[in-house]
Amino acid sequence: LPLFYLPFTIDRLELNKQTLLLVLVFAAALTWIGSMFSAKRFRFRRGWLNVLPLLYLVVVGVSAWNSSASFLSWIGGSLQEYTSFLTSAGLVVLFYLVTNTLYGRKSHRLIHLLLTLSALVVVSLSLSSLFFSKPELNTIGTINAAGVYLVVMTVFALSLWISQAKDIWQKIVIILLCVATFLYLLVVDYWLLWMLFVVGLALMFAFVL
């Protein structure tokens, strides 16, 4: 949820993002289940990949069960909501929603365009926070966390360019995102971000070759 934050609250990022994730995801899940009841037809895409999120959730649940800080592990708190079992459960439900409700290349292209557009907004706000010393403009968290997010999204956008970018507007967004991310990395100049960027590009080109 890279674009959501409430600067007027005590915790402007983590708790708000967790709340929005859970409300929207579980509302969408109820709507999806209700639509299947209405159509009197159960549809669930099969595949071995469906097992991986459940295994991940089981591991997180076992870790939370054995944790000495049970509330932090199950629910989250102290800016650690993203590590909690509750957030992981929301993300797992989101995975099954996406894989079972979004079909066809048209839907995929729309999602990819929205993802790259959101990353472009994030890098614009992040650069503004660096140049104008306004940390509240960073909607990801720390400077390095924003850098990791932008590196991942830029490599993803370049992969889209290679695989399916046919729309001119999508290409323009990808170019702007790449330039802005490179500028962000130059300003921050942290070796780990550069290493992640190089490794991501190397993996992408390895798959292409």
Side-chain angles (χ1 to χ4, degrees):
L1 304 172
L3 297 182
F4 185 74
Y5 77 117
L6 299 175
F8 49 83
T9 57
I10 297 177
D11 181 5
R12 62 187 180 89
L13 288 176
E14 299 302 333
L15 181 60
N16 301 322
K17 289 176 182 286
Q18 183 194 50
T19 303
L20 181 68
L21 170 71
L22 296 176
V23 169
L24 293 183
V25 165
F26 286 105
L30 289 176
T31 305
W32 175 47
I33 295 173
S35 67
M36 288 190 292
F37 274 110
S38 177
K40 297 180 180 180
R41 180 183 179 186
F42 179 77
R43 183 168 64 179
F44 190 84
R45 299 186 71 177
R46 294 177 295 177
W48 64 269
L49 199 61
N50 288 326
V51 180
L52 296 181
L54 289 179
L55 290 177
Y56 166 74
L57 193 61
V58 168
V59 171
V60 176
V62 171
S63 175
W65 182 266
N66 296 313
S67 174
S68 58
S70 58
F71 183 83
L72 293 180
S73 300
W74 288 105
I75 308 298
S78 302
L79 304 181
Q80 299 294 317
E81 284 81 4
Y82 65 94
T83 64
S84 66
F85 177 86
L86 190 60
T87 299
S88 299
L91 293 173
V92 168
V93 174
L94 177 61
F95 170 84
Y96 290 118
L97 280 173
V98 171
T99 55
N100 288 280
T101 59
L102 298 175
Y103 300 95
R105 287 202 173 269
K106 186 176 181 180
S107 298
H108 293 171
R109 286 175 180 170
L110 177 60
I111 294 174
H112 296 159
L113 179 60
L114 292 176
L115 285 173
T116 50
L117 276 174
S118 65
L120 184 60
V121 174
V122 167
V123 70
S124 301
L125 294 174
S126 300
L127 283 173
S128 300
S129 69
L130 293 178
F131 288 133
F132 300 106
S133 299
K134 292 185 177 181
E136 67 275 6
L137 294 178
N138 188 339
T139 60
I140 300 296
T142 64
I143 293 176
N144 291 332
V148 172
Y149 168 79
L150 293 174
V151 166
V152 172
M153 292 306 300
T154 301
V155 174
F156 171 73
L158 289 172
S159 302
L160 288 179
W161 180 289
I162 296 173
S163 61
Q164 63 181 39
K166 297 180 180 179
D167 186 17
I168 183 64
W169 294 110
Q170 187 179 22
K171 291 183 177 181
I172 292 175
V173 172
I174 292 174
I175 291 174
L176 292 175
L177 175 61
C178 292
V179 172
T181 299
F182 190 74
L183 179 60
Y184 185 87
L185 294 179
L186 285 176
V187 174
V188 176
D189 197 22
Y190 182 38
W191 68 269
L192 183 58
L193 296 179
W194 285 114
M195 185 184 72
L196 289 174
F197 192 50
V198 171
V199 170
L201 291 178
L203 288 174
M204 183 187 65
F205 284 115
F207 278 111
V208 171
L209 294 176

